[in-house]
Amino acid sequence: MSTFTTYLWPVLLLAASNIFMTFAWYGHLKFKSAPLITAIMVSWGIAFFEYCLQVPANRLGHAVYTAPQLKMIQEAITLTVFAIFSAFWLGESLRWNDWVAFLLIAVAVFFSVHDWS
């Protein structure tokens, strides 16, 4: 694998896994009339696919990123996926302070993954 794809594949897998996890954790909020046990079981089923992507992402990613870097990347991806999910699935807009918080996390990711040597 080229260096670029070595760095890119973990990020793509993390993005895909976060889509599944966001639906597992928050997708049921659109179906509040469904029984809680149904929401739990469906969420577990969705989370299985999240793990099928998350574990390889971290395995591959740890070859080029440190564990803290992987976590920071994952958090930034999670917030990006959640912002889109919140707007399009739940119909809830983000407030200005949410955007500021997201920006600060993006700055934290930059500081974590930047090569300071």
Side-chain angles (χ1 to χ4, degrees):
M1 258 195 289
S2 74
T3 303
F4 177 72
T5 56
T6 303
Y7 284 87
L8 184 61
W9 268 112
V11 174
L12 294 175
L13 288 169
L14 286 172
S17 74
N18 271 282
I19 292 168
F20 281 103
M21 203 62 196
T22 300
F23 273 96
W25 284 16
Y26 301 101
H28 61 88
L29 295 177
K30 197 168 181 177
F31 306 101
K32 292 181 182 175
S33 63
L36 184 57
I37 190 66
T38 302
I40 291 169
M41 298 307 286
V42 170
S43 292
W44 278 358
I46 296 169
F48 169 78
F49 296 102
E50 183 270 340
Y51 276 91
C52 288
L53 297 168
Q54 180 82 8
V55 171
N58 287 325
R59 285 276 181 107
L60 291 171
H62 201 244
V64 292
Y65 298 110
T66 66
Q69 288 174 326
L70 282 168
K71 184 60 179 171
M72 291 300 296
I73 293 166
Q74 184 266 329
E75 291 301 331
I77 292 168
T78 296
L79 291 174
T80 302
V81 168
F82 184 79
I84 295 166
F85 174 88
S86 179
F88 290 101
W89 182 257
L90 297 177
E92 297 181 14
S93 299
L94 297 175
R95 301 167 300 167
W96 71 268
N97 54 317
D98 297 322
W99 288 108
V100 171
F102 287 3
L103 176 64
L104 292 173
I105 290 171
V107 170
V109 171
F110 169 78
F111 275 94
S112 179
V113 300
H114 183 71
D115 183 11
W116 296 98
S117 50

